[in-house]
C-alpha cells in the first residue's frame, strides 16, 4: 500500500485522511478543467504538457480508469531521454560561477565528474 493509499484509508489518522481527500478534489478539479489530460494511449500529462510523475498518476487513477501506468511511465522515460540528449548536445561546460561553487565544495585542483554529460571538470 502506498503512502497516499494509507492516508486516504485513514490508517495514518484523521488529519491525513482529510488532506488526501482534499488532494483528490484538487486533482479532480484539474482533470475537469483540462489542466491534467489523458491521451488516447492513456498517457497522463500536466498543464504544461509534461508526463505525470508516479505520485500524481496514482491520484489520477483514483479518479479515472483512463490513465495507463505503463504507457505513462514509458512516455516519461522517453521525455526524460529526449531532455537529457538535448541537454548534452547544448552543454557548454560549467560557468565561472559554477566553477567557483564547485571549488568551494570540492577544493582547488580536484576533478569533478558530471554524470549527465560524462565529462570530467578539473577545478
Amino acid at each position: 500500500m502506498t503512502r497516499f493509499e494509507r492516508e486516504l484509508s485513514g490508517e495514518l489518522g484523521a488529519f491525513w485522511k482529510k488532506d488526501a481527500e482534499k488532494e483528490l478534489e484538487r486533482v479532480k478539479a484539474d482533470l475537469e478543467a483540462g489542466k491534467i489530460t489523458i491521451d488516447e494511449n492513456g498517457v497522463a500529462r500536466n498543464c504544461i504538457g509534461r508526463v505525470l510523475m508516479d505520485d500524481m498518476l496514482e491520484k489520477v487513477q483514483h479518479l479515472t480508469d483512463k490513465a495507463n501506468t505503463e504507457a505513462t511511465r514509458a512516455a516519461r522515460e522517453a521525455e526524460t531521454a529526449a531532455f537529457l540528449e538535448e541537454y548534452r548536445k547544448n552543454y557548454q561546460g560549467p560557468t565561472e560561477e559554477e566553477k567557483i561553487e564547485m571549488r568551494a565544495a570540492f577544493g582547488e585542483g580536484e576533478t569533478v565528474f558530471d554524470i549527465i554529460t560524462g565529462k570530467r571538470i578539473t577545478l
Side-chain angles (χ1 to χ4, degrees):
M1 184 179 276
T2 67
R3 166 73 191 216
F4 184 73
E5 289 171 328
R6 292 175 62 209
E7 290 173 2
L8 194 57
S9 73
E11 179 181 330
L12 302 177
F15 172 83
W16 290 109
K17 179 176 174 53
K18 187 173 183 176
D19 188 63
E21 290 168 347
K22 283 182 188 177
E23 179 65 12
L24 280 182
E25 286 301 317
R26 286 190 293 270
V27 172
K28 182 179 179 186
D30 285 349
L31 277 165
E32 290 171 352
K35 292 180 180 178
I36 296 174
T37 59
I38 303 168
D39 70 17
E40 64 279 352
N41 298 316
V43 177
R45 297 180 183 277
N46 65 19
C47 63
I48 61 170
R50 300 292 304 269
V51 178
L52 294 185
M53 300 302 282
D54 282 348
D55 59 337
M56 184 59 75
L57 178 60
E58 176 185 10
K59 294 166 187 170
V60 167
Q61 289 178 319
H62 274 277
L63 300 167
T64 179
D65 61 355
K66 293 179 182 177
N68 180 295
T69 301
E70 290 77 26
T72 299
R73 285 178 178 164
R76 187 174 59 241
E77 286 182 27
E79 182 179 84
T80 300
F83 170 81
L84 290 172
E85 180 180 332
E86 186 69 18
Y87 179 87
R88 288 180 189 116
K89 184 176 90 178
N90 294 319
Y91 184 70
Q92 304 271 326
T95 64
E96 280 308 309
E97 181 179 355
E98 290 169 331
K99 286 180 183 178
I100 290 167
E101 291 175 358
M102 286 189 275
R103 283 186 200 104
F106 303 109
E108 183 76 34
E110 291 296 320
T111 300
V112 177
F113 183 74
D114 183 336
I115 63 168
I116 296 175
T117 63
K119 296 181 179 183
R120 295 182 189 281
I121 303 158
T122 301
L123 307 172

